[in-house]
Amino acid sequence: MTKPDLLLPGPLMPMIMEQLDAAFTVHKLYEAEDRDALLSEVADKIVAIASGSHVNVDAGLMGRLPNLKIVSNFGVGYDTVDAKWAGEHGIYVTNTPDVLTEEVADTAMALLLMTAREFPASERYLRAGKWPERPYPLTKSTLRGRKLGIFGLGRIGKAIAKRAEGFGLEIAYHNRSKASDAAYPYHDTLEGLAAAVDTLMIVVPGGDATYHAVSTDVLEALGPDGILINIGRGTVVDEIALIKALRDGTIRSAGLDVFEDEPNVPQALIDIDRIVLLPHVGSASVHTRNAMGQLVVDNLLNWKASGKPLTPVSETPLRS
Ligand code: A2R
């Protein structure tokens, strides 16, 4: 049986690579000394790409591959793939929804608790041997009485809302449109949501539509008790505005799992001890990453067998 040709712009988990090697002729762009030469040599043969979040699959790359039919992306967010261009050119883009929802929602709640109650700083306090001198100071924030605004009440947003209800939080949200299956108060602007709550949880996708949506105005609306949690995409927050808001006391604190220029985190954020910074670990357990990896492979295998992938994104709906 012939193996279709697949381009790998960057390395993926070994369990993905092993399965891809068995079903496809894999061309590793990242190992080529001359990437341009490799691309020119294999361009006509490539029908599939498997990609991760740190490599751009843009119109420039896809446009060089005249027989490309599918881009299988690792991760539910696919802002590094130009899915609109792909859709317009008959190319499927797939992502890995659902299999990471609960893990990311767990991370979101952990990050919220860590931030409100300063658990990382208090643990550093113990390890530094300061406890015998005096107890760690009482935290200014608590989850008690907090109102949680969810920016992006989708699959992950709803899983967070379910958990937050268990913690006794009041919940409201902002999407582009009202969710038909949610009874929480809806705000038709992000600023309106921020003004109505004191805790803002970002769970929207990245990309142009949400770029710097969390601006100075939104942070001012959130207010001096405000806590910002971001487990969506770093580009959604204007990081410079956030740093200023934290320094000036415009909001109280922030818990961030994602950043504008990963893996580079501004020193100005690192210098603020009371905030919580995680290295984009929202879905990063062996269990969940394996499930995501398997879905990357299964999308490609299903497409190879039937011409249809399992989880195409909305810009590239299933065609017969
Ligand atoms: O806007 P809607 O009604 O399509 O609701 C979606 C909302 N959303 C937005 N809200 C306001 N302004 C926007 N420009 C905008 N774009 C999308 O975000 C929906 O409620 C939510 C996304 O939910 P799902 O598509 O179900 O994605 P999931 O699995 O919850 O993952 C969310 C994001 C990923 O894209 C990664 O960036 C991150 O979480 O891991």
Side-chain angles (χ1 to χ4, degrees):
M1 200 175 162
T2 58
K3 287 179 170 186
D5 290 73
L6 178 144
L7 187 72
L8 211 50
L12 294 171
M13 292 160 63
M15 61 85 76
I16 301 179
M17 310 256 263
E18 282 156 24
Q19 295 184 72
L20 293 183
D21 271 330
F24 294 88
T25 301
V26 176
H27 303 275
K28 296 177 177 167
L29 190 58
Y30 58 97
E31 281 186 353
E33 269 184 29
D34 185 342
R35 292 180 186 207
D36 214 49
L38 174 73
L39 268 183
S40 301
E41 192 189 316
V42 300
D44 288 348
K45 294 193 287 188
I46 298 293
V47 293
I49 290 179
S51 67
S53 64
H54 294 299
V55 179
N56 280 331
V57 179
D58 53 19
L61 176 59
M62 291 187 282
R64 288 186 70 172
L65 312 171
N67 294 308
L68 181 67
K69 298 287 186 298
I70 180 167
V71 178
S72 183
N73 179 69
F74 182 89
V76 66
Y78 52 95
D79 41 309
T80 52
V81 182
D82 191 340
K84 186 166 174 288
W85 190 94
E88 287 162 2
H89 291 80
I91 299 164
Y92 281 117
V93 175
T94 63
N95 64 344
T96 61
D98 299 315
V99 292
L100 48 56
T101 294
E102 303 300 327
E103 196 81 74
V104 177
D106 288 348
T107 307
M109 287 312 292
L111 191 49
L112 174 54
L113 272 168
M114 287 161 79
T115 307
R117 296 296 323 286
E118 302 175 18
F119 291 136
S122 65
E123 204 221 17
R124 287 195 292 275
Y125 186 89
L126 178 152
R127 288 181 187 277
K130 294 180 181 170
W131 189 11
E133 291 166 27
R134 67 181 70 86
Y136 186 80
L138 305 184
T139 61
K140 291 198 182 78
S141 295
T142 170
L143 287 200
R144 304 302 99 230
R146 277 201 171 262
K147 293 182 183 163
L148 178 67
I150 299 181
F151 178 25
L153 192 75
R155 287 171 295 242
I156 300 171
K158 285 174 193 155
I160 294 169
K162 202 169 144 190
R163 283 161 175 73
E165 276 189 39
F167 280 88
L169 303 187
E170 255 184 62
I171 296 160
Y173 73 101
H174 166 64
N175 285 352
R176 285 167 300 188
S177 52
K178 205 169 169 178
S180 57
D181 55 350
Y184 310 118
Y186 172 70
H187 293 264
D188 59 8
T189 66
L190 177 57
E191 210 174 314
L193 175 68
V197 301
D198 51 25
T199 310
L200 188 60
M201 174 76 73
I202 303 169
V203 211
V204 280
D208 293 346
T210 57
Y211 183 76
H212 283 192
V214 177
S215 59
T216 299
D217 289 348
V218 169
L219 294 168
E220 278 172 3
L222 191 59
D225 282 339
I227 292 180
L228 180 76
I229 304 292
N230 190 3
I231 53 114
R233 278 289 180 270
T235 51
V236 179
V237 176
D238 180 341
E239 242 165 39
I240 304 281
L242 174 63
I243 290 163
K244 185 169 184 330
L246 287 165
R247 282 182 176 159
D248 294 352
T250 307
I251 67 167
R252 177 163 296 152
S253 196
L256 310 172
D257 184 42
V258 288
F259 302 87
E260 279 202 70
D261 180 30
E262 294 174 11
N264 305 306
V265 177
Q267 190 61 40
L269 284 175
I270 292 172
D271 289 342
I272 305 173
D273 193 52
R274 70 182 184 285
I275 66 172
V276 182
L277 308 173
L278 298 180
H280 202 152
V281 293
S283 65
S285 67
V286 171
H287 170 91
T288 295
R289 287 288 170 87
N290 278 343
M292 293 164 64
Q294 196 56 51
L295 191 47
V296 169
V297 173
D298 289 347
N299 265 306
L300 289 164
L301 294 183
N302 230 69
W303 168 80
K304 189 183 164 201
S306 70
K308 290 180 182 177
L310 297 173
T311 53
V313 303
S314 60
E315 293 88 337
T316 64
L318 279 177
R319 295 173 300 260
S320 56

